[in-house]
Amino acid sequence: MKPAEALKNAYILVTGGAGYIGSHTLVELSSAGYDFVVYDNLCNSSQEALKRVSKIINKDVKFEQGDIRDKKALQNVFEKYNIDSVVHFAGLKAVGESVIKPLEYYDNNVNGTLVLLSVMKEHNCKKIVFSSSATVYNEVTTKNYIPLKEDSPTGATTNPYGRTKQFIEEILQDFYISELDFKVVTLRYFNPVGAHESGTIGEDPNGVPNNLMPFIAQTAVGKREYLSVFGGDYDTYDGTGVRDYIHVVDLANAHVKALKYISSANFNIKNATLNIGTGQGNSVLSMIKAFEKVSNKKVLYKIVKRREGDIAKCFADASLAKEVLGWQATKNIETMCKDSWKWQSNNPKGYET
Ligand code: NAD
Ligand code: UD1
């Protein structure tokens, strides 16, 4: 049965669907035949992203503006639409900010998820795909268990943002133990980068980017003078930090596969927490080199001291996602850089016009 037939008159609720990963996922959901409704308070995104998604998919995007902590507003959405499953992206995600505003992070991410789960329960909606992060593997784990497997130790994360992901994973486990027919797929993302190949949607960080790829792209486009490479003396192949960068469209597709899995007879709670990465580690210098190659621009950089809290290497063993979902990453770092560059050079101010 094709998803479109299976879900006739039923919708996927995409919380946080106007954001970076959410907007790319909408495109893939649409091409897989799913109907969806976006629920987002636009605290870190713009409706322009949804307009552009609508152009790519050649279809209107159903959008309800609201906060996941607003129970009444969520109830209204569940009453208006027949929601079959939820893909839950909504959340705050800046590690540094979470240290400064922990209560806001716990309220938004943890409390918001509790409200969402209670409204799902009220409306008999029993399937959720949750955005977790490799950040749940703590520093000690990443030192000792590379590549990271799903059963590598988690917890003891270094910051409130990471803890919200850890707590939500545990809340979801308690919830499915209490609600026997409730189904959860937790996806632990590694480092999402890149953009849709059209160059019309992409990552649009507020202010100075914390993450490597947007910083490289903004340096190449002339918005930043140079990139500070945090540490050149790590125990890695060239001394700079190694990460598992994954193209956002590959990541988006993992959600489509997760939705198929959650509705299938093969669904098994034991295999429902999955690493979503490529399984390849690339260094900061390799990313700079790949970006320079595809953009034909020089990315000026200086090697500076290590960033506090950083680790040498972090990459996934992504074999379980392949086995369980039949998903694997298909796009290499050149494609990641090419698509980031297309987005950045076509939209130097992001979604701001
Ligand atoms: P994003 O900030 O671009 O998207 C999140 C969206 O959620 C935004 O559109 C924001 O407006 C919305 N939102 C936030 N709080 C809300 C609330 N209370 N009610 C309604 N909407 C709300 O972030 P992203 O990069 O697309 O990340 C999506 C999810 O994936 C997040 O949960 C994030 O923690 C997780 N994640 C992201 C990364 C990454 O590097 N981007 C890595 C691992 C996990
Ligand atoms: C960060 C977050 C993590 C999140 C992940 C993916 C922390 C502690 N963790 O991890 O929660 O899931 O992003 O978005 O922040 N680098 C530079 N110069 C820069 C920026 C980064 O050299 O200006 C280096 C870093 O030292 C690291 C690599 O680039 O080696 C990747 O950094 P970044 O994009 O911030 O991701 P993570 O640190 O892996």
Side-chain angles (χ1 to χ4, degrees), residues 20 93-96 132-136 158-159 161-162 165 189-193 203 208-216 226-231 234 240-245 282-285 287-288 302 304-314:
Y20 171 46
K93 63 165 183 177
V95 171
S132 190
S133 166
T135 197
V136 299
T158 54
N159 56 78
Y161 163 71
K165 293 294 174 190
Y189 311 157
F190 280 67
N191 290 57
V193 296
E203 186 172 14
V208 183
N210 291 311
N211 294 121
L212 178 67
M213 198 58 159
F215 208 108
I216 291 182
Y226 65 90
L227 167 79
S228 296
V229 175
F230 299 139
Y234 281 111
T240 65
V242 162
R243 297 291 183 274
D244 188 336
Y245 297 97
N282 281 290
S283 72
V284 177
L285 295 182
M287 296 309 282
I288 295 174
K302 288 183 192 169
V304 301
K305 68 177 179 32
R306 294 178 178 191
R307 180 171 67 177
E308 209 184 318
D310 267 359
I311 42 172
K313 293 179 242 185
C314 176

Side-chain angles (χ1 to χ4, degrees), residues 11 15 37 46 71 90 103 105 107 118 151 154 169 183 203-204 209 211 214 225 243 251 260 294 300 318 328 332 350:
Y11 288 86
T15 72
V37 187
S46 119
K71 194 167 190 177
L103 300 185
Y105 271 68
D107 182 40
S118 71
D151 58 2
T154 60
E169 283 198 8
K183 295 176 180 172
E203 186 172 14
D204 184 16
N211 294 121
E225 200 186 333
R243 297 291 183 274
L251 176 57
K260 288 183 183 159
V294 301
L300 297 179
Q328 77 186 112
N332 61 21

